[in-house]
Amino acid sequence: MKKLIWCMFIATFAVNAKPTDVGLIATGKQLFVSKACSACHQTDPKVPSPTGDALKATKFVGKFWGTEREVHIGPGGPIKKVKLNDEYFMESVEKPMAKIVKGAIPAMAPLPTTLEERKALAAFVKSLSK
């Protein structure tokens, strides 16, 4: 009987589980460093980012994924509220001047990345949100 219940638990878990793609997150972490994202975007509350602080760059610390923020549509453009989600993140990597967080200094250049690299970066950054 215990074996049957255990098998039912495993089967239910396998159907309902959303496994994290550890490889994609690891690739994203490597890209985050190699593409110099870490120069401005703080990911550890104990390790400050002086450049990012000066630019008021988005910090990837605490609960941030899915949160709403105010952005300028283009440099100095009208303000709109957006959620930090996959769509917004991917656009920000590819076209960083499309939406600029209110109060930030627009300094990020478009990153030469493929769609797969942007997905990996998004997976890594999303994994940091707590």
Side-chain angles (χ1 to χ4, degrees):
M1 183 66 167
K2 283 184 181 179
K3 192 172 187 178
L4 176 62
I5 291 171
W6 179 250
C7 289
M8 287 172 57
F9 170 77
I10 295 296
T12 302
F13 180 78
V15 169
N16 295 325
K18 294 181 182 178
T20 302
D21 188 342
V22 177
L24 191 63
I25 291 170
T27 299
K29 184 176 183 177
Q30 290 172 344
L31 287 165
F32 196 83
V33 173
S34 68
K35 300 273 185 191
C37 307
S38 57
C40 297
H41 297 284
Q42 183 178 354
T43 59
D44 184 337
K46 298 174 187 165
V47 181
S49 172
T51 303
D53 289 344
L55 296 172
K56 297 181 176 72
T58 299
K59 295 180 182 193
F60 300 129
V61 175
K63 170 75 173 111
F64 58 85
W65 198 267
T67 61
E68 200 170 70
R69 61 202 53 231
E70 290 185 317
V71 298
H72 288 278
I73 305 302
I79 294 177
K80 177 182 176 181
K81 288 185 179 184
V82 298
K83 277 192 178 180
L84 177 50
N85 58 18
D86 289 310
E87 180 183 346
Y88 170 67
F89 181 86
M90 304 274 276
E91 178 187 46
S92 293
V93 173
E94 190 175 18
K95 301 174 195 168
M97 295 300 166
K99 293 182 179 94
I100 301 158
V101 174
K102 182 179 174 184
I105 297 170
M108 187 169 150
L111 286 177
T113 55
T114 65
L115 177 59
E116 291 75 25
E117 289 174 326
R118 289 190 297 279
K119 286 180 181 179
L121 283 165
F124 169 65
V125 170
K126 190 187 307 186
S127 76
L128 299 172
S129 186
K130 310 225 183 296

